Amino acid sequence: MSKVVPDPPITTQTPDIEPAPPDALLRDREAVKRALDYYLDPPSQYVEKPRRPSTMFLVAPNTDTESLLAQACESLASASVMASDFATNLIGPQRNTVLAIQQIVMLAELAVNRALDNVDPRV
């Protein structure tokens, strides 16, 4: 079976493109300028303001490093114990996930302990 129309059809004439009216070109230019200004030079209302942390829970600024590290170590030890206890009630992939979290907490606790030793070496 032969096709009568070639694929794609051969055209010898170019379609007539009517020129856009000048006001449409002007609107397009204005839209492009607005878009570029918005993305490349945003107005001040869209610029992010510096983040101010909440003062609801604030560590006293005059607390020494050793006390902060000791508190962090105790918190991490508590989190490790809680994760371990929670993992005993789980089975399968959930248990593995909680034990992995517990291991990460334990590694953080070891790092804080080492930092505490560096701050106050007890020889």
Side-chain angles (χ1 to χ4, degrees):
M1 182 165 129
S2 64
K3 286 176 105 176
V4 177
V5 179
D7 209 8
I10 300 172
T11 58
T12 56
Q13 297 177 351
T14 58
D16 292 335
I17 300 173
E18 62 184 64
D23 58 337
L25 290 175
L26 187 60
R27 280 195 314 263
D28 288 346
R29 254 189 228 126
E30 289 171 356
V32 168
K33 183 177 179 342
R34 279 195 314 271
L36 288 174
D37 286 345
Y38 175 79
Y39 287 108
L40 300 178
D41 187 24
S44 61
Q45 68 187 20
Y46 298 113
V47 175
E48 281 190 36
K49 296 177 180 82
R51 190 179 84 77
R52 264 190 11 195
S54 171
T55 57
M56 181 179 245
F57 304 104
L58 182 68
V59 176
N62 57 353
T63 307
D64 61 308
T65 305
E66 182 181 357
S67 299
L68 292 171
L69 286 171
Q71 184 64 39
C73 182
E74 290 174 10
S75 296
L76 287 168
S78 297
S80 177
V81 169
M82 286 188 292
S84 180
D85 289 346
F86 183 59
T88 60
N89 299 326
L90 298 174
I91 56 172
Q94 290 87 7
R95 177 184 167 92
N96 294 339
T97 301
V98 172
L99 288 175
I101 292 169
Q102 190 255 348
Q103 185 176 11
I104 292 170
V105 170
M106 221 166 53
L107 291 172
E109 182 186 359
L110 287 172
V112 170
N113 275 328
R114 178 54 60 120
L116 191 55
D117 290 342
N118 291 344
V119 169
D120 185 24
R122 298 181 189 216
V123 179

